[in-house]
Amino acid sequence: KAGVTQTPRYLIKTRGQQVTLSCSPISGHRSVSWYQQTPGQGLQFLFEYFSETQRNKGNFPGRFSGRQFSNSRSEMNVSTLELGDSALYLCASSPQLTQQETQYFGPGTRLLVL
Amino acid sequence: GQQLNQSPQSMFIQEGEDVSMNCTSSSIFNTWLWYKQDPGEGPVLLIALYKAGELTSNGRLTAQFGITRKDSFLNISASIPSDVGIYFCAGPVWGKLIFGQGTELSVKP
């Protein structure tokens, strides 16, 4: 069974631009969660999607948004990029909503904002 | 908001040594999770704990759910070079998973 895949793996953007990251969950998994990982703040929950609806949200500004498609694939978007948005963005999928112990993480997309 | 305080932040040990790390919170948790993250990869779940006092093993790894429900411990016995990585504790809070700051483990052959 293929794992969680994230594209692209690396990305360089400049301040003010916007970026879209993609996540394909494990086949059969219906929940997708997104996390931001930085050296200073560690791993922080962004949001969780299930059945194409955002079910839970972390404490991030509205510049961070996401969506989920009918095939459970998910995208997250960051608009008006700031230097502090440089981070590893991790996607995790699980079979059902809020099943953290059955959550599998992808390798992440490393975003550098210049 | 709730925070998980993980210690130590880093450890440098000799191959074969045992390792202990812990995670504490000011609030009660009903579930404790321990993850390992290798460079360039996402975290991988090592052990899940669901009951106060529970002791669970996964090979050379043993984790315990503290009696107070405010802490958890992870022990690695007889460390080997592939144990290198960052270890995180985590717990769910209102459906959101919060993580400790991680313990970076280095193993000298």
Side-chain angles (χ1 to χ4, degrees):
Chain A
K1 207 181 212 183
V4 177
T5 57
Q6 293 188 246
T7 57
R9 290 295 308 274
Y10 304 92
L11 205 48
I12 300 176
K13 291 285 188 180
T14 55
R15 274 183 301 174
Q17 286 187 311
Q18 73 161 11
V19 68
T20 299
L21 312 181
S22 181
C23 172
S24 293
I26 291 172
S27 176
H29 283 197
R30 299 170 62 197
S31 169
V32 173
S33 296
W34 289 89
Y35 296 83
Q36 182 196 64
Q37 186 175 24
T38 60
Q41 299 299 316
L43 268 156
Q44 293 186 290
F45 173 82
L46 279 157
F47 26 64
E48 180 178 14
Y49 283 85
F50 181 80
S51 291
E52 302 176 63
T53 304
Q54 187 180 94
R55 303 297 179 134
N56 219 332
K57 190 178 190 309
N59 191 25
F60 279 83
R63 299 185 297 107
F64 292 82
S65 62
R67 58 177 175 166
Q68 186 181 34
F69 302 95
S70 58
N71 62 358
S72 295
R73 191 177 70 84
S74 176
E75 289 181 345
M76 69 161 280
N77 184 277
V78 188
S79 62
T80 320
L81 284 165
E82 300 177 1
L83 296 179
D85 296 333
S86 295
L88 180 67
Y89 289 89
L90 291 160
C91 161
S93 76
S94 58
Q96 296 295 335
L97 180 65
T98 320
Q99 275 190 330
Q100 286 93 357
E101 62 269 29
T102 58
Q103 207 170 68
Y104 292 84
F105 283 84
T109 293
R110 188 163 293 282
L111 172 65
L112 177 62
V113 182
L114 302 175
Chain B
Q2 283 179 289
Q3 286 185 312
L4 294 179
N5 300 306
Q6 194 171 344
S7 66
Q9 284 190 320
S10 60
M11 302 182 76
F12 298 86
I13 61 169
Q14 198 80 27
E15 183 177 357
E17 287 183 354
D18 295 344
V19 172
S20 287
M21 60 192 76
N22 69 76
C23 202
T24 61
S25 170
S26 57
S27 305
I28 287 172
F29 277 79
N30 293 316
T31 301
W32 284 95
L33 306 173
W34 284 92
Y35 291 86
K36 182 192 177 200
Q37 185 175 26
D38 291 327
E41 302 292 332
V44 173
L45 182 66
L46 299 173
I47 294 178
L49 302 162
Y50 301 102
K51 207 162 62 170
E54 180 181 353
L55 191 71
T56 297
S57 293
N58 178 6
R60 293 177 297 105
L61 277 60
T62 301
Q64 184 162 24
F65 195 137
I67 292 291
T68 65
R69 295 165 62 192
K70 292 183 178 181
D71 56 9
S72 181
F73 307 87
L74 177 69
N75 296 312
I76 305 173
S77 62
S79 58
I80 58 178
S82 62
D83 290 334
V84 164
I86 305 177
Y87 292 80
F88 293 96
C89 61
V93 177
W94 295 109
K96 308 171 191 176
L97 199 56
I98 64 167
F99 286 82
Q101 290 293 79
T103 295
E104 185 167 9
L105 179 64
S106 301
V107 179
K108 187 177 177 184

